[in-house]
């Protein structure tokens, strides 16, 4: 990493010889602004040795002119007045570099997007403004310093947080490409929500049947290390080398010894509701959440285990031939260093309000869609035979209520959860297949069947199964005290009438909300969050899995609600993003970094408070406390420079002096560089 | 600059963050949204970079209005730089009032990269307001620091 | 209910039966803007989920539907809409339950503003306003009750005290200042002695 | 803090018993709160009429009342949901400087100016706090007062089944009337329980009585129909009495019950119920003035009606 030469006094030793190049950009600029006038005005500014107007500065001819000026006229500062730097800065940097000048001695002035194109009706004033802008550029160019971009090495290992379908896919892809991958999952088994689902829309293939092979595959991959029943407790560092702390929760079962025979569970006397089955079925105190669990290692839940409660029992110990049970097991902290991180922390299903209109907590026969998934799942507590909670009888008249916890501004859930329409349609299909005499109604606002094969399924359930679609948001649910049937009152908006219909069971199509588990991770990495509460990508269209934190990628429902195909696709994208970094092994960082002038620093620590990336620390240097910037952490926002009362921190390419010089020049004071040193 | 007879043309300095507002200004250009040429844009990486002293400096040097423009809250490329800009703006507003500069002369705006029209209209609005307010008068009494 | 139906729906249904097709001439393109001006700011935002109708106590009783009324407003069917002007009990349940956090009740209130300005003024509004200008209160003091008050040993009704004429003058002054009296076509004359 | 009684239009001239009850409950022999009269208060004005037809007039008239409270640096204590909703909403409107300006232009005609109550801020600054508008129930429900109330119970109403009707402007719209949970209000129920009575839960408890928004004045059949629904739900829990914090809801129940039932359920204002339990002279609570006889109620709590 190269330090910039003398950042503090920004005037570099040799006398500056400035070259100004005003681009016509065909008629884009020239058609409004008189480029000749601008060039002429520029030539009068002290220090300007070359001032030309060019038809197309970015063309080879134009670039040649610039190189010539550098080689022949000894120009050592280049001001290109053309289009937006966001477009051609790179081009011209390369150009001057080609002529042997440090690329950071080139400054661009934006005459097209921010002058000629927006003042087409006022050519004179536009020209006047252009002259001002060029002057600003010239004054700034005096204070430019030679810099060189920074390079960091990228550790060839990745951390994937979250063992749902997205995490599994990402880990698989990275592992396949031969990089060490740590897949961290807080539950005893990987699989996530997809493992709970019955069938998948629109094709109707069984979720676990397609998921289980992947789970096995990822377990078998030599490069992937699954850390189940574990949580990430701390992340420090930056792209290329993140220092990660992971807490392995005690299973009280030695993983290497347990073969998953399950004898312990058979003998275990404690029965508790199985949260994997949404509390419908039961499991033992020593358990695997579901038969296909990966890793197939049993876990004792301390809360319910008799031994932990009473100190007696130990039946599991007696029956376990491999002596895998170890009540003394303690949690352990594992330290890792990884080059890249993929966050795939998924979602939580929305939990209906306690005193809500839909009476989820008051009426037994009002259930959520996730609960339904378990109730119709062949591997579920009822063996796939749908019964209603109140009396275990098979419901014949079933209503789905859409958009529960989605598209609701009152609940701050403005967004559409993107899966509810289809899973309700899919579930109604499954129910109809099981009991053709069932009557199903779906209360919806809009049906969003946008994906491949979705509309076809929507059409099929209407045509083949006669599922009724009622457009209207139910206003009131009432329960018959005897039968516990639910009556829904709603305006059927297409009918224009208020109807009351009785159903045996009501299913709330609950939306997807950001997972509780995402919060801590988001804070550790200080990832930006979009206003729906999900993690925010760098660019909604062009950088969909990257984040503002370099080296950190997101995928699956952690980024926004989405279905399985989308999650998988995104996981693959994130994986390729991560591997690209690791294959290169090196990562280039623009030199925007903040630099401290120790002589001026008082060690007040204001900068450390404002820095969003914890990049500044206060260190003792021979008895005095001074702020020190960790270059690799610094993203170059410059907030610290703005906060520093001493102006002791300078942000490369945006020093106080450089900005001050622009200010004065903008307001028609050519001597900006001289009088405003120190930036006010 | 408001010589007798000719209409007063206010000078506005706009600090635009590289990721949202500067891009917004560019978009205004690309979509040819016209606005008065009274504004001079200074590019910074983040609205959080804008030191209060820059704004004061601008007024000292004769700006009639100053705009600080950044990404919308939660959209900041640097997580929360714009929040800091907001905090500084609060203080700045009161300070400017204390030293006798109408707070209308200073604006903090959230302009996304997709909001070209908003950038244009912001400049339009401010230019009109400033024309009404007139030039920032008097020898700067606060400059003795 | 028959009575109510006649009063409130006939206008609407008859018109609809006259010409089943609604054409430009039935529509008032400015209607929504007008409603927004009078405080029904959410009128155009409604997505017609029908929740408001379901929770509306009035909609359960008569052929009035919160959602459809909003739709008419969006559409600009001014004449139809004004027929349902006074049935909203402003109980704000629609607002309480609206998933889009819109306020239909305020739209209904805006409709009343418009109705009044269209000269459709229900008698009780006139009466109440007149009472207010005459007695400073919308309810006219009632002799029997005044006796009761004496029995209970309550202080005299303020409006029976001498100082009250001042209060009434102030109320009248305010109403005249906002031209409300002219809007309703009532005068303070009968009030002031 | 000093409160100013705001009885509005209905109570003084239709249900003076409520006024007596309120004065008694808040007075020396009762909870001894610091409440005064402002005889210059006019109508709030009625939201169903003025807010519905001309906001400017409504706001100006409401502001006039608020100015009176502002002059005495008092909090307004309303005993009626309508007054409460109207005045509270007015304070919200008036927090917009522009509105305040317009209104003050009107008020200047009567030599008034609404600013809110001036308080000393940090340093030399003065901050203006909007005149605070409290509902009688809200005032009573504050901890200290509740405890006093509990101590002051002379005749616990044990065994009395009370159906509480809150009324719309007490509950909604939420952002204005944030004194209670709009979907699960408790304050009146709490008071009822403190009085020793049982508050029965009934279907559509939060539904409208049907009087508001000019419906009763304009389409009385509709108002009655709505009230009948309420009545059915309440009587199915066989409650002995309907208790409401709003005289207009009371008026609605009191007048429309006869249109659909012979055996009406007595309806009283929460203040009246408090007064009974706290041992006020039942004869002075104006119960005999209610259309639906309150004798069954009095009999139930073992007070032989006069």
């Amino acid at each position: 990493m190269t330090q910039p030469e003398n950042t503090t006094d920004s005037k570099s030793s040799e006398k500056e010889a400035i070259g100004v190049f005003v681009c016509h950009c065909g008629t884009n600029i020239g058609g409004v602004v008189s480029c000749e006038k601008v060039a002429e005005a520029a030539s009068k500014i002290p220090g300007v040795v070359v001032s030309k107007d060019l038809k197309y500065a970015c063309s080879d001819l134009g670039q040649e002119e610039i190189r010539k000026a550098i080689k022949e006229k000894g120009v050592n500062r280049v001001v290109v007045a053309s289009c937006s730097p966001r477009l051609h800065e790179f081009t011209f940097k390369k150009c001057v570099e080609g002529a042997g000048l440090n690329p950071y001695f080139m400054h661009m002035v934006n005459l097209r997007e921010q002058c000629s194109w927006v003042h087409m009706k006022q050519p004179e004033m536009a020209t006047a403004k252009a002259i001002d802008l060029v002057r600003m550029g010239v004054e700034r160019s005096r204070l430019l310093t030679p810099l060189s971009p920074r390079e960091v090495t990228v550790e060839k290992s990745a951390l994937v947080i979250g063992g749902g379908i997205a995490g599994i896919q990402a880990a698989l892809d990275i592992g396949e490409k031969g990089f060490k991958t740590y897949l961290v999952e807080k539950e005893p088994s990987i699989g996530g929500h997809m493992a709970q689902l019955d069938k998948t829309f629109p094709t109707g293939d069984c979720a676990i049947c397609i998921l289980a092979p992947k789970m096995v595959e990822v377990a078998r991959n030599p490069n992937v290390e699954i850390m189940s029943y574990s949580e990430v407790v701390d992340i420090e560092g930056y792209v290329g080398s993140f220092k990660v702390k992971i807490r392995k929760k005690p299973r009280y079962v030695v993983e290497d010894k347990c073969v998953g025979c399950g004898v312990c569970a058979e003998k275990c006397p404690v029965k508790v509701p199985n949260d994997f089955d949404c509390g419908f079925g039961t499991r033992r105190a020593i358990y695997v959440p579901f038969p296909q669990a990966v890793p197939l290692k049993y876990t004792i839940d301390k809360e319910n285990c008799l031994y932990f409660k009473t100190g007696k029992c130990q039946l599991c110990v007696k029956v376990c031939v491999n002596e895998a049970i170890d009540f003394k097991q303690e949690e352990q902290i594992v330290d890792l260093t990884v080059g890249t991180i993929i966050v795939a922390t998924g979602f939580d299903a929305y939990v209906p309000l306690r005193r809500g209109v839909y009476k989820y907590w008051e009426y037994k026969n009002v259930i959520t869609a996730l609960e339904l998934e378990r109730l119709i799942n062949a591997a579920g507590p009822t063996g796939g035979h749908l019964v209603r909670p109140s009396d275990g009888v098979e419901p014949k008249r079933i209503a789905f209520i859409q958009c529960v916890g989605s598209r609701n501004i009152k609940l701050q859930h403005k967004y559409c959860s993107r899966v509810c329409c289809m899973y309700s349609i899919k579930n109604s299909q499954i129910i109809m297949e099981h009991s053709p005499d069932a009557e199903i109604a779906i209360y919806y606002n809009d049906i969003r069947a946008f994906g491949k094969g979705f509309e076809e399924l929507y059409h099929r359930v209407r045509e083949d199964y006669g599922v009724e679609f009622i457009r209207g948001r139910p206003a009131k649910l009432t329960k018959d005290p005897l039968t516990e049937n639910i009556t829904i009152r709603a305006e059927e908006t297409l009918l224009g009438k208020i109807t009351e219909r009785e159903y045996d069971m009501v299913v709330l199509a609950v939306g997807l909300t950001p997972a509780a588990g995402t919060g801590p991770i988001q804070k550790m990495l200080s990832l930006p969050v979009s206003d729906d509460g999900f993690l925010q990508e760098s660019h909604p269209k062009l950088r969909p899995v990257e984040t503002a934190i370099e080296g950190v990628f997101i995928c699956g429902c952690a980024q926004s609600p989405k279905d399985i195909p989308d999650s998988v696709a995104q996981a693959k994208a994130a994986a390729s993003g991560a591997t690209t970094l690791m294959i290169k092994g090196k990562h280039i960082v623009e030199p925007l970094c903040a630099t401290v002038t120790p002589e001026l620093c008082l060690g007040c620590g204001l900068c450390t408070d404002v820095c969003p990336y914890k990049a500044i620390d206060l260190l003792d240097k021979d008895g005095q406390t001074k702020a020190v910037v960790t270059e690799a952490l610094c993203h170059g926002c410059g907030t610290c420079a703005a906060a520093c009362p001493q102006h002791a921190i300078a942000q490369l390419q945006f020093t106080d002096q450089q900005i001050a010089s622009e200010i004065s020049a903008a307001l028609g004071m050519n001597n900006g560089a001289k009088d405003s040193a120190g930036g006010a | 600059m408001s010589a007798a007879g000719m209409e007063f043309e206010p000078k506005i300095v706009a600090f635009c963050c590289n990721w949202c507002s500067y891009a917004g200004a560019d978009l205004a250009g690309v979509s040819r949204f016209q606005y008065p040429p009274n504004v001079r844009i200074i590019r910074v990486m983040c609205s959080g970079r804008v030191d209060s002293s820059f704004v004061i400096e601008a007024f000292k040097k004769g700006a009639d209005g100053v705009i600080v423009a950044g990404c919308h809250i939660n959209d900041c490329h640097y997580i929360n730089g714009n929040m800091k800009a907001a905090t500084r703006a609060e203080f700045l507003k009161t300070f400017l009032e204390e030293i006798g500069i109408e707070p209308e002369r200073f604006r903090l705006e959230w302009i996304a990269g997709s909001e070209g029209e908003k950038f244009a209209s912001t400049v339009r609005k401010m230019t009109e307001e400033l024309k009404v307010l007139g030039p920032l008068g008097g020898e700067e009494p606060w400059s003795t620091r | 209910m028959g009575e109510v139906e006649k009063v409130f729906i006939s206008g609407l249904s008859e018109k609809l039966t006259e010409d089943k097709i609604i054409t430009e001439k039935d529509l008032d393109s400015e209607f929504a803007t007008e409603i927004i001006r009078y405080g029904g700011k959410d009128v155009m935002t409604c997505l017609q989920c029908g929740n408001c109708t379901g929770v509306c106590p009035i909609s359960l009783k008569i052929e009035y539907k919160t959602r459809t009324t909003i739709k008419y407003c969006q559409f600009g069917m001014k004449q139809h809409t004004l027929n349902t002007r006074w049935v909203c009990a402003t109980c704000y349940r629609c607002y309480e339950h609206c998933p889009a956090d819109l306020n239909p009740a305020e739209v209904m209130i805006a409709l009343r503003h418009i109705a009044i300005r269209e000269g459709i003024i229900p008698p009780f509004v006139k009466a109440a306003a007149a009472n207010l200008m005459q007695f400073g209160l919308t309810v006219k003091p009632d002799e029997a009750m005044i006796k009761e008050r004496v029995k209970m040993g309550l202080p005299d009704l303020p409006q029976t005290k001498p100082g009250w004429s001042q209060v009434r003058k102030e109320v009248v002054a305010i109403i005249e200042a906002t031209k409300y009296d002219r809007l309703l076509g009532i005068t303070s004359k009968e009030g002031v002695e | 803090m000093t409160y100013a009684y705001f009885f509005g239009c209905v109570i003084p001239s239709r249900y003076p018993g409520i006024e007596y009850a309120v004065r008694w409950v808040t007075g020396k022999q009762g909870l001894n709160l610091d409440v005064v009269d402002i005889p210059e208060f006019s109508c709030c004005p009625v939201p169903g009429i003025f807010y519905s037809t001309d906001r400017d007039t409504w706001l100006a008239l409401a502001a006039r009342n608020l100015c009176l409270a502002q002059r005495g640096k008092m909090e307004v204590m309303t005993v009626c949901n309508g007054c409460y909703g109207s005045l509270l909403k007015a304070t919200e409107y008036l927090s917009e400087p522009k509105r305040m300006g317009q209104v003050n232009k009107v008020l200047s005609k009567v030599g008034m100016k609404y600013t809110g109550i001036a308080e000393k801020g940090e340093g030399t600054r003065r901050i203006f706090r909007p005149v605070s508008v409290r509902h009688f129930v809200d005032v009573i429900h504050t901890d200290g007062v509740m405890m006093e109330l509990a101590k002051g119970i002379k005749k616990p109403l044990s065994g009395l089944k009370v159906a509480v009707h809150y009324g719309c402007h007490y509950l909604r719209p939420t952002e204005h009337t944030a004194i209670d949970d709009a979907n699960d209000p408790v304050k009146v129920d709490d008071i009822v329980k403190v009085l020793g009575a049982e508050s029965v839960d009934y279907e559509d408890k939060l539904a409208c009585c049907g009087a508001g928004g000019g419906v009763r004045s304009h389409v009385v059949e509709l108002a009655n129909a709505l009230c009948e629904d309420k009545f059915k739900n309440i009587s199915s829990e066989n409650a002995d009495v309907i208790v409401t914090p709003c005289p207009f809801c009371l008026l609605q129940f009191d007048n429309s019950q006869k249109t659909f039932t012979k055996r009406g359920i007595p309806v009283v204002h929460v203040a009246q119920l408090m007064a009974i339990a706290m041992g006020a002279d039942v004869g002075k609570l104006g119960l005999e003035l209610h259309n639906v006889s309150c004798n069954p109620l009095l009999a139930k709590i073992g007070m032989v009606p006069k």
Side-chain angles (χ1 to χ4, degrees), chain D residues 185-205:
Chain D
V186 292
K187 291 193 172 176
V188 177
D189 296 86
D190 290 352
I191 293 173
V192 165
K193 285 180 197 126
V194 170
L195 301 182
E198 173 202 1
S199 168
V200 299
D201 197 5
Y202 60 95
E203 191 64 38
D204 276 337
K205 185 174 178 181

Side-chain angles (χ1 to χ4, degrees), chain A residues 194 197-208 210 373 422-423 426-427 429-430 457 564-565:
Chain A
M194 185 177 172
L197 306 182
D198 176 40
K199 296 209 169 56
T200 58
F201 60 81
T203 49
D205 39 6
C206 138
I208 194 67
I210 55 176
E373 292 283 351
M422 288 321 290
Y423 73 56
K426 178 261 298 185
N427 287 339
Q429 178 195 25
I430 295 166
L457 177 61
I564 294 164

Side-chain angles (χ1 to χ4, degrees), chain A residues 282-305:
Chain A
T282 60
R283 62 161 169 78
R284 307 305 173 96
I286 183 166
Y287 70 106
V288 289
F290 55 100
Q292 302 86 341
V294 170
L296 191 57
K297 308 291 177 191
Y298 277 74
T299 308
I300 296 178
D301 85 66
K302 202 173 177 183
E303 283 64 46
N304 299 305
C305 172

Side-chain angles (χ1 to χ4, degrees), chain D residues 51-203:
Chain D
Y51 180 73
S52 296
T53 54
D54 188 56
R55 278 195 179 71
D56 302 344
T57 311
W58 160 76
L59 191 53
L61 288 167
R64 179 188 167 279
N65 289 329
L66 293 171
C67 285
L68 295 169
Q70 165 187 310
R71 192 185 291 156
K73 290 192 184 304
M74 296 174 192
E75 292 191 5
V76 180
M77 182 173 84
T78 68
V79 190
C80 165
N81 287 2
C83 305
Y84 177 64
S86 184
L87 290 173
L88 190 63
K89 200 177 273 183
T91 57
E92 305 243 343
Y93 271 72
L94 288 167
S95 59
E96 288 175 46
K98 199 151 159 289
R99 288 264 189 191
M100 200 196 269
Q102 295 165 346
V103 168
N104 281 335
K105 210 150 142 282
V106 176
L107 287 181
S108 62
K109 293 254 189 317
V110 296
M112 288 188 178
K113 187 161 185 283
Y114 178 85
T115 56
I117 295 173
E119 282 180 346
K120 199 168 171 328
E122 68 281 359
T124 58
R125 287 176 161 231
R126 277 196 315 169
I127 46 174
F128 288 92
R129 187 174 44 75
V131 174
S132 87
V133 177
R134 306 278 302 276
H135 193 292
F136 172 72
V137 171
D138 185 31
V139 174
I140 297 298
H141 195 273
T142 48
D143 314 340
V145 185
M146 267 308 233
M147 264 182 275
E148 284 305 307
L149 177 61
K151 285 200 222 109
I153 306 292
K154 303 277 188 314
K155 303 189 183 66
L157 308 174
S158 44
L160 187 69
K161 289 180 118 190
V162 174
V164 174
H165 168 76
Y166 278 91
C168 300
H169 293 296
Y170 175 95
L171 301 167
R172 296 178 289 265
T174 331
E175 79 260 27
H176 291 305
T177 64
I179 55 170
D180 212 332
D181 181 341
N183 295 311
D184 188 15
V186 292
K187 291 193 172 176
V188 177
D189 296 86
D190 290 352
I191 293 173
V192 165
K193 285 180 197 126
V194 170
L195 301 182
E198 173 202 1
S199 168
V200 299
D201 197 5
Y202 60 95
E203 191 64 38

